[in-house]
Amino acid sequence: MAKENEKYNGTINLPKPLLPMKANLPQTEETWLKFWEDDNVFEKALEKRKNSPLFILHDGPPYANGDIHLGTALNKVLKDAVNKYKLLRGFKTPYVPGWDTHGLPIEQQVTKQTKINPEDFAVTEWRDKCKDFALSYIDKQMKSFKRLGVLGLWKDYYATFKPEYEGKELEILADLVEKGFVIRKRRPVYWCPHCKTTLAEAEIEYREKVSPSIFVAFPAKGGSYKAIAWTTTPWTLPDNVALAFHPEESYVFVNTGEDTFVVAEKRLQDVAKELSWFDYEVVASKPGAAFEDERFEHPVYDDKETVAILADFVSMEDGTGIVHIAPGHGEEDYLVWEEKGLDFPMMIDDSGRFTEQAGFLAGVFYADANDMVLDLLTRKGKLLHKGMVTHSYPHCWRCHNPVIFRALSQWFIDVDLYRNEALEALKEVQWIPTGSDVRIGDMVKSRPDWCLSRQRIWGVPIPSIKCSHCGRSILDPRVVRNVAAVVRKEGSNIWYSEPLEAFLPAKMECPDCGSKDFEKEYDILDVWFDSGVSHYAVLEQYDGMRWPADLYLEGYDQHRGWFQTSLLTAVPLKGQAPYKTVLSHGFVLDESGRAMSKSLGNVIDPSDVVANVGADVLRLALLMSDYTADIQVGQNIFNQASEIYKKIRNTFRFMEGNLFDFQSSDEVPFAEMKPLDRWILGRWTDMKRKLSSAFDNYEFYSFVSIFHSFCVKELSSTYLDAIKSRLYLKKPDSEERRSAQTALKIMATEFPVLIAPILTFTAEEMWQALLSRGLVTEKSVYFSDWPDSAFSLTEEESSFWENALRLREKANEQMEKLRKEKSIGHSLDASVVVYGSGTEFLSHSEWAEFLVVSSAQIKNEGKEWDIEVEKALGVKCARCWRVREDVGLDAEYPDICGECLDDITG
């Protein structure tokens, strides 16, 4: 405005913002990080809330074996948004970050680094190297999380290798053993022959695999027919013990001219097509139940036989309706055979090679044995057909090789003992998004017993002992507790360094043979048990915490991982879930919807984004999409987030800059404020209510649609645009200007608090600008409270503004038409006439201000509101730029209007 005639510069109240226009986030954010650390801001914020109700978000521990990625960043930023919101809402939020630090992945990384296998080190030396590796990545990840603006009790972080954690873990194990939930069983488990360890369900990934597809004939002993079974794992046939028939299905005897075969009646057409039976005859039929206990030749070994059994799981959707049963290599096979109480063979060793029991296959890797088995079947005339099939098959999540089912004697938690109780416990939990309760419920219903044993070195040892006389494995709660007491002080290396006698209770005897001679066993606990007991190790051991947690928040893959294992360790001892609410989020994909991977070259490093645009823009980019599903992230979303960020920052900067001469004593009571100022505060109140409701429901992605939209529409495009003239041109201490400043002050002092859960650094920067002006008193925005100011308009006001905003839209449309006709340029080149009963609620000048025009007439005629826009008559004022007919009436100030004359001389 003043540029047109600089002689009036001194009469204009131009804004003087303390907040820089250029954010420079990559640099300025470091300043606030240092401030938070040096001043212990989070700890002081908790101290301020020491008598407040607790809100516990229990941190699911990331694995300490690599740098963070965008998925980890989303998880931690979302948790931070929740904690900050709850903190500002008046809760005490002692957030303890944690790390998962044991297990195979770290051993693999140490092997890579040292280029030496664990067998070449003393056990405790190897374990120390693994611990050092984990510590190095805890440090790296911690720095990365802090740089994202995540506040927490970083000095008191938990890690599964800490002695007090391991001690608690063993105490929980002892409780489970004592109550009879831990059993010793020989049953099939996922086994990776490359990593040489058992795998949990959550450590399995499914990939496409090409396998042989074969039909095998099993000649009936003493009969004249052959049963046909279909399999994609020929290498399991040496361990075959049975053929399973469905008891309620019909089976047919089919004469092909050369032989008589038996298949399920419902599968006959498909089998005939597959085996090229062009001319066959069904000569008899028989119910599946009638085959029970019939004997067949073993497909591989002449000195063994195969027995017919009945099983409801036999499918009529594929195969022959007759299933080859190898209990050591399949869950269903094992369960149906277990009912008979019979033993079964297992001829595969830890390396995936056949043992001496396998005869001609001894020493052969299981996958390589397929061809040898097929050759044998061909020579015996038992291979009826061979093809190849591509199917989904379980693979190890670390080495990405196919896994096998392999029966081992292991320690298990018998989930069947409390499965129903666990399912009932899930019903007491709030699940977000809706439907995720069904997802985890289905998994709990169908999951097998939980195998606790892992054949690795780096982890919490299972303090089981073996009788030196009879070989029985024993897990005695007294031994476990004795070990736990020492581990709590010295760490779990003591199991490897101290003699067994240090942990045995007096008069310990083998329950089977009475021997008193024992030796240690060295399996470690499943790492999912490590993290699964974190609710005990953290919530029951850390000061200021409580059990259960209010919230668990992780990716949706944790329905089969941490959410489930936490449930399964809590229910048998506590009778309820360890969480009140569970929120699951999706994965971060690239802009094309593909998973990020190095091979695709589409990985985005969070640290690169932070270095380029700042952590606040990254936080906004991650949280502006509905993260209850997968979100797509790339340069476009970062650009969009940057623009949104700029708008939010500049909106606050305008408000703060116009408060340079405002003090609390200048505030105008709400009842005495100008109508437009009352309107914006009413809308501000509505916006805060919506934002609070969204954040209460963990819908932080609504921030853009609620807060940013308010900045764009209600503030920048409407209110702030309208009041510029009042702020800049009215006398500094005029009632009109102070009224607008009061509204700005209320919104500006609440603004940083509202954005703090999302734009965490910028909120602090804004707060410090207000603190410098003396408009707030707390030293940090995180010492403040969520704003509870509420401004309500009367029904008359609300009705008026609803109509007034409609007229504004109509006026803008008419002005746009006049611009196209070149009749006007700026809206100040126009004047308006407002029609309708009730329009006199605003004065002429207030209508002109609201519509940003030079003048307004009010014609209180008729009930229908309407507006007419026309080119303003008069001369442009050199100070306010309005076109007025009273410009030049004063000889001393010939180029300004009467209103400006009053403002500078009155």
Side-chain angles (χ1 to χ4, degrees):
M1 284 178 192
K3 288 181 180 177
E4 190 167 305
N5 195 330
E6 293 184 359
K7 69 181 180 181
Y8 296 112
N9 278 0
T11 71
I12 296 174
N13 313 305
L14 290 174
K16 300 173 183 176
L18 296 178
L19 188 77
M21 179 181 290
K22 190 173 174 62
N24 236 353
L25 291 178
Q27 289 74 42
T28 57
E29 288 173 344
E30 297 282 0
T31 302
W32 304 120
L33 274 179
K34 188 173 187 307
F35 166 60
W36 292 338
E37 287 211 14
D38 291 351
D39 279 49
N40 294 313
V41 165
F42 186 63
E43 289 79 1
K44 288 178 180 177
L46 294 182
E47 178 61 24
K48 185 174 183 285
R49 303 273 194 246
K50 63 183 177 182
N51 297 319
S52 300
L54 278 170
F55 179 85
I56 306 294
L57 191 165
H58 180 40
D59 190 32
Y63 208 72
N65 73 326
D67 295 323
I68 72 167
H69 49 74
L70 277 182
T72 337
L74 168 64
N75 180 259
K76 274 296 191 287
V77 165
L78 186 50
K79 288 173 179 174
D80 188 58
V82 171
N83 277 325
K84 282 178 176 151
Y85 174 64
K86 292 295 184 179
L87 178 71
L88 294 167
R89 285 307 295 256
F91 289 90
K92 184 180 179 183
T93 57
Y95 175 62
V96 179
W99 276 270
D100 202 350
T101 57
H102 287 137
L104 174 63
I106 286 177
E107 290 197 57
Q108 288 177 324
Q109 290 298 322
V110 174
T111 300
K112 240 186 236 182
Q113 279 189 355
T114 61
K115 295 183 171 45
I116 302 174
N117 291 319
E119 294 82 6
D120 299 323
F121 287 95
V123 171
T124 53
E125 185 183 359
W126 177 256
R127 286 169 56 86
D128 288 342
K129 286 187 179 296
C130 291
K131 181 179 178 181
D132 289 343
F133 179 90
L135 276 168
S136 71
Y137 272 99
I138 287 175
D139 182 60
K140 287 181 181 180
Q141 291 186 10
M142 187 184 296
K143 287 175 181 174
S144 297
F145 293 145
K146 286 181 180 179
R147 185 61 188 86
L148 291 174
V150 180
L151 294 180
L153 296 170
W154 296 106
K155 296 173 186 173
D156 298 321
Y157 74 88
Y158 80 87
T160 56
F161 64 55
K162 285 189 172 183
E164 63 273 19
Y165 190 105
E166 294 180 323
K168 185 66 173 180
E169 182 175 352
L170 289 172
E171 289 165 11
I172 297 303
L173 177 64
D175 291 343
L176 291 168
V177 172
E178 194 165 57
K179 291 179 180 292
F181 292 108
V182 179
I183 57 175
R184 184 79 173 176
K185 259 187 177 182
R186 180 173 176 259
R187 66 177 298 165
V189 293
Y190 287 117
W191 181 267
C192 179
H194 299 273
C195 300
K196 297 182 182 178
T197 189
T198 308
L199 297 174
E201 179 71 34
E203 296 168 329
I204 293 299
E205 60 184 20
Y206 284 85
R207 297 183 169 201
E208 293 293 294
K209 180 178 181 289
V210 178
S211 299
S213 171
I214 66 170
F215 289 80
V216 182
F218 287 73
K221 283 203 163 185
S224 58
Y225 69 90
K226 299 174 181 177
I228 303 176
W230 170 70
T231 183
T232 58
T233 54
W235 62 269
T236 63
L237 287 170
D239 279 332
N240 170 270
V241 296
L243 291 176
F245 293 75
H246 196 292
E248 296 176 4
E249 295 291 342
S250 174
Y251 289 79
V252 291
F253 292 76
V254 183
N255 189 318
T256 65
E258 296 180 0
D259 269 309
T260 299
F261 298 101
V262 170
V263 296
E265 185 174 6
K266 289 179 180 177
R267 298 299 305 152
L268 175 57
Q269 287 188 0
D270 289 337
V271 171
K273 183 179 179 181
E274 194 73 33
L275 300 184
S276 301
W277 291 347
F278 301 112
D279 185 16
Y280 63 87
E281 179 185 4
V282 175
V283 295
S285 65
K286 185 174 172 179
F291 284 94
E292 188 172 19
D293 289 332
E294 290 194 16
R295 298 297 197 261
F296 299 85
E297 291 181 13
H298 193 276
V300 176
Y301 300 109
D302 295 337
D303 58 346
K304 295 183 180 181
E305 65 179 12
T306 293
V307 63
I309 62 173
L310 306 179
D312 291 333
F313 65 76
V314 176
S315 171
M316 296 296 129
E317 300 300 318
D318 51 26
T320 66
I322 302 172
V323 176
H324 137 62
I325 299 296
H329 298 297
E331 181 68 16
E332 290 178 320
D333 296 27
Y334 166 78
L335 291 174
V336 72
W337 193 250
E338 184 186 35
E339 293 175 5
K340 295 186 170 294
L342 299 175
D343 197 11
F344 55 88
M346 170 44 56
M347 294 186 278
I348 301 288
D349 68 12
D350 290 358
S351 300
R353 297 183 179 277
F354 278 89
T355 64
E356 293 298 322
Q357 286 178 282
F360 75 104
L361 292 170
V364 177
F365 188 63
Y366 80 95
D368 298 331
N370 278 332
D371 288 341
M372 296 175 68
V373 171
L374 292 176
D375 180 63
L376 177 70
L377 293 174
T378 302
R379 286 188 278 111
K380 287 190 169 194
K382 295 180 179 179
L383 182 62
L384 302 180
H385 176 76
K386 175 197 168 187
M388 302 302 288
V389 62
T390 300
H391 58 139
S392 179
Y393 190 84
H395 287 66
C396 173
W397 72 328
R398 286 298 165 189
C399 69
H400 308 300
N401 285 301
V403 300
I404 59 175
F405 261 109
R406 176 175 176 243
L408 293 171
S409 291
Q410 310 258 44
W411 295 108
F412 292 85
I413 290 181
D414 190 348
V415 178
D416 280 336
L417 292 176
Y418 62 96
R419 191 185 304 274
N420 290 336
E421 191 177 358
L423 291 169
E424 287 300 310
L426 292 176
K427 296 177 182 178
E428 303 302 314
V429 177
Q430 179 188 12
W431 296 91
I432 306 171
T434 305
S436 52
D437 56 329
V438 176
R439 178 184 175 91
I440 190 171
D442 288 344
M443 291 176 175
V444 172
K445 280 178 192 174
S446 61
R447 75 156 292 141
D449 291 339
W450 182 357
C451 180
L452 295 179
S453 306
R454 292 295 181 274
Q455 293 68 40
R456 304 304 306 173
I457 299 172
W458 174 231
V460 178
I462 300 175
S464 61
I465 57 177
K466 184 168 73 173
C467 175
S468 300
H469 180 69
C470 69
R472 168 163 178 177
S473 291
I474 302 165
L475 193 55
D476 188 298
R478 296 172 299 169
V479 175
V480 179
R481 287 200 175 92
N482 288 344
V483 174
V486 184
V487 165
R488 182 175 280 280
K489 298 174 185 175
E490 301 180 33
S492 58
N493 271 3
I494 56 95
W495 181 249
Y496 302 91
S497 60
E498 294 297 312
L500 177 57
E501 290 70 30
F503 309 115
L504 295 179
K507 300 180 181 178
M508 177 84 183
E509 293 183 356
C510 174
D512 280 1
C513 69
S515 172
K516 297 181 180 180
D517 295 326
F518 303 97
E519 55 193 82
K520 292 178 185 175
E521 293 186 320
Y522 292 103
D523 281 358
I524 63 168
L525 283 163
D526 176 17
V527 292
W528 288 101
F529 189 80
D530 279 13
S531 58
V533 300
S534 62
H535 56 91
Y536 292 114
V538 178
L539 304 185
E540 290 190 343
Q541 296 197 124
Y542 276 66
D543 290 339
M545 305 292 271
R546 62 145 164 77
W547 196 100
D550 292 287
L551 181 66
Y552 270 37
L553 195 168
E554 303 297 332
Y556 57 65
D557 57 328
Q558 295 308 313
H559 287 105
R560 68 170 184 155
W562 191 57
F563 297 156
Q564 192 178 144
T565 57
S566 297
L567 174 79
L568 295 178
T569 57
V571 170
L573 301 182
K574 294 275 194 178
Q576 68 178 89
Y579 34 69
K580 298 177 184 178
T581 300
V582 173
L583 169 62
S584 55
H585 61 77
F587 292 166
V588 179
L589 310 175
D590 72 7
E591 287 180 315
S592 301
R594 300 175 303 172
M596 293 189 184
S597 69
K598 290 180 181 178
S599 60
L600 291 175
N602 62 348
V603 174
I604 300 173
D605 188 333
S607 63
D608 291 340
V609 182
V610 171
N612 185 32
V613 295
D616 270 356
V617 172
L618 174 58
R619 289 171 68 103
L620 181 58
L622 291 173
L623 296 182
M624 63 194 285
S625 300
D626 182 355
Y627 36 75
T628 57
D630 292 340
I631 66 172
Q632 296 179 8
V633 174
Q635 193 56 51
N636 288 330
I637 199 78
F638 295 137
N639 293 341
Q640 186 182 346
S642 293
E643 291 306 310
I644 292 170
Y645 173 84
K646 287 174 188 174
K647 187 63 185 177
I648 292 171
R649 182 183 182 90
N650 289 336
T651 301
F652 173 84
R653 187 171 182 270
F654 177 88
M655 294 194 291
E656 177 262 314
N658 279 286
L659 294 171
F660 66 91
D661 62 344
F662 188 80
Q663 299 175 7
S664 296
S665 58
D666 297 324
E667 289 188 25
V668 176
F670 181 66
E672 300 172 18
M673 293 174 75
K674 294 296 177 183
L676 187 58
D677 305 327
R678 288 171 55 86
W679 168 76
I680 194 62
L681 288 180
R683 295 301 290 263
W684 179 257
T685 299
D686 291 341
M687 182 276 294
K688 287 191 299 181
R689 192 176 297 117
K690 291 176 185 175
L691 192 67
S692 298
S693 176
F695 285 8
D696 282 340
N697 291 310
Y698 306 113
E699 296 169 359
F700 293 95
Y701 48 83
S702 297
F703 175 80
V704 171
S705 62
I706 296 173
F707 191 84
H708 172 253
S709 295
F710 186 87
C711 288
V712 172
K713 296 176 183 176
E714 279 86 349
L715 283 175
S716 296
S717 299
T718 306
Y719 179 70
L720 299 182
D721 193 33
I723 66 168
K724 280 179 183 174
S725 294
R726 209 187 330 159
L727 291 169
Y728 296 173
L729 302 173
K730 289 298 177 185
K731 293 178 184 178
D733 59 351
S734 66
E735 183 181 347
E736 302 100 315
R737 185 166 179 270
R738 292 306 191 203
S739 176
Q741 284 183 306
T742 300
L744 292 183
K745 185 258 182 182
I746 290 168
M747 292 187 289
T749 53
E750 295 179 350
F751 197 110
V753 185
L754 296 177
I755 70 169
I758 312 290
L759 303 176
T760 190
F761 293 102
T762 303
E764 189 68 84
E765 186 182 11
M766 290 175 176
W767 187 265
Q768 296 303 321
L770 297 170
L771 186 63
S772 297
R773 293 208 183 281
L775 297 175
V776 294
T777 56
E778 295 288 2
K779 191 174 180 182
S780 168
V781 66
Y782 298 107
F783 299 160
S784 63
D785 296 308
W786 193 256
D788 58 2
S789 62
F791 300 95
S792 300
L793 302 182
T794 65
E795 285 187 20
E796 180 188 6
E797 283 179 290
S798 297
S799 176
F800 169 81
W801 284 110
E802 188 177 336
N803 290 323
L805 287 165
R806 276 203 301 269
L807 284 194
R808 186 175 184 275
E809 286 183 15
K810 191 170 183 180
N812 287 337
E813 290 172 3
Q814 292 183 34
M815 280 189 269
E816 188 58 33
K817 184 178 179 183
L818 291 173
R819 283 192 189 95
K820 289 179 180 178
E821 295 171 354
K822 307 296 184 184
S823 297
I824 66 170
H826 193 277
S827 64
L828 290 176
D829 295 337
S831 64
V832 300
V833 181
V834 181
Y835 299 92
S837 175
T839 53
E840 70 279 3
F841 183 81
L842 293 184
S843 67
H844 296 268
S845 62
E846 288 169 341
W847 269 111
E849 176 190 66
F850 174 56
L851 299 171
V852 197
V853 295
S854 283
S855 61
Q857 295 181 58
I858 301 172
K859 293 191 176 181
N860 185 8
E861 301 170 0
K863 293 183 179 179
E864 292 296 323
W865 283 39
D866 204 355
I867 194 164
E868 289 181 0
V869 180
E870 55 191 21
K871 183 178 173 63
L873 300 177
V875 178
K876 186 176 183 179
C877 173
R879 182 170 179 269
C880 70
W881 293 8
R882 298 187 185 98
V883 178
R884 294 291 183 88
E885 295 184 272
D886 59 354
V887 172
L889 296 182
D890 188 279
E892 188 177 351
Y893 299 98
D895 54 355
I896 64 173
C897 66
E899 187 175 343
C900 282
L901 184 65
D902 289 342
D903 287 333
I904 65 176
T905 64

